[in-house]
Amino acid sequence: MKQRLIVATRNAHKVGEIRAILSAFEVLDLSVLNDPPEVEETGKTFLENATLKALAISELTDALVLSDDSGLEVDSLGGDPGVYSSRYAGEDGNDSLNNEKLLREMDGHSERTARFRCVIVLARGGNVLADFSGAVEGRILQKKQGRRGFGYDPLFAPEGDKRSFAELGEEIKNGMSHRSRALEGVADWLCQPGEID
Ligand code: ITT
């Protein structure tokens, strides 16, 4: 029987990528829980926010819980949008408004290097078990390219490629992404004898 994991996220795209990457595990979303709370992301770092999400959900279940806090760091913007990536265009924003804002902020910047970062926390029964991180370097394109993926994927080209993550598609993205690099650590950790029952 596959090891079960509940992913503490309301972002269905994250669940899809995590399920595809952790194919040896049974990856469940929050719909298996009764009325899970919306966790306020009050932390100043990816690790703080990932920890808040993992702990809040792990209080509600005996299952192993995995949270993901991630975002885009743009060098010429001093690391913004960073932990505020999902709320860059405001609390009522969305991916499209976030991308428009990023292009406006990048106007006139010739230095366009950036990276996606992902921090994953595993928790059970209100205790953190371990944390993992991953990053992928790249640059911000001049305009949106491609229709696949989510978030800032249409504006992010990984190092060495002219195509965006939204053009490359899930399989190629999952072979190099910040999320897949963090999940490599998760898979190794879960496969160590004695780490979980
Ligand atoms: P949860 O908190 O419920 O997990 P969320 O989407 O709000 O969902 P975060 O707070 O971690 O998640 O914000 C992550 C944001 O960073 C996300 O909304 C995207 O804008 C961006 N992001 C993270 N990973 C990305 C990826 O693989 N591709 C494109 N954008 C990504």
Side-chain angles (χ1 to χ4, degrees):
M1 217 175 67
K2 288 183 175 180
Q3 167 75 45
R4 285 183 149 204
L5 290 168
I6 298 180
V7 183
T9 180
R10 291 179 184 268
N11 183 328
H13 297 281
K14 285 187 186 176
V15 178
E17 290 187 7
I18 293 168
R19 193 172 275 144
I21 295 164
L22 290 184
S23 53
F25 299 84
E26 187 181 359
V27 174
L28 305 171
D29 64 21
L30 286 176
S31 65
V32 297
L33 298 177
N34 196 6
D35 205 16
E38 208 162 315
V39 183
E40 228 193 312
E41 298 192 23
T42 52
K44 290 196 163 46
T45 63
F46 295 119
L47 180 59
E48 282 172 21
N49 284 335
T51 303
L52 286 171
K53 292 187 270 192
L55 287 180
I57 299 304
S58 78
E59 302 274 9
L60 309 175
T61 171
D62 291 334
L64 191 60
V65 171
L66 180 157
S67 69
D68 165 319
D69 203 66
S70 43
L72 180 69
E73 293 176 350
V74 181
D75 292 325
S76 62
L77 302 179
D80 281 351
V83 289
Y84 303 106
S85 290
S86 65
R87 297 166 272 166
Y88 197 37
E91 292 294 336
D92 296 328
N94 55 38
D95 287 350
S96 165
L97 292 171
N98 287 340
N99 281 317
E100 282 172 24
K101 175 164 183 186
L102 179 59
L103 282 179
R104 279 198 308 276
E105 297 289 330
M106 292 302 287
D107 210 19
H109 286 286
S110 53
E111 168 66 64
R112 300 184 78 90
T113 52
R115 71 206 51 75
F116 273 124
R117 247 185 230 295
C118 174
V119 172
I120 286 181
V121 167
L122 287 180
R124 181 176 254 169
N127 294 306
V128 168
L129 301 177
D131 64 83
F132 308 87
S133 62
V136 57
E137 299 290 329
R139 64 189 176 81
I140 304 303
L141 296 164
Q142 299 287 348
K143 58 179 176 47
K144 289 208 272 183
Q145 294 179 195
R147 296 182 161 274
R148 290 182 279 180
F150 71 100
Y152 299 94
D153 281 344
L155 286 178
F156 182 87
E159 214 166 41
D161 211 309
K162 287 193 170 68
R163 293 166 297 175
S164 73
F165 267 170
E167 292 176 286
L168 291 169
E170 187 174 287
E171 204 172 314
I172 295 176
K173 177 183 174 188
N174 287 348
M176 63 168 82
S177 77
H178 51 316
R179 183 160 295 109
S180 66
R181 287 175 178 160
L183 288 169
E184 266 174 40
V186 173
D188 286 350
W189 191 88
L190 288 174
C191 291
Q192 279 170 38
E195 285 299 357
I196 48 161
D197 40 12

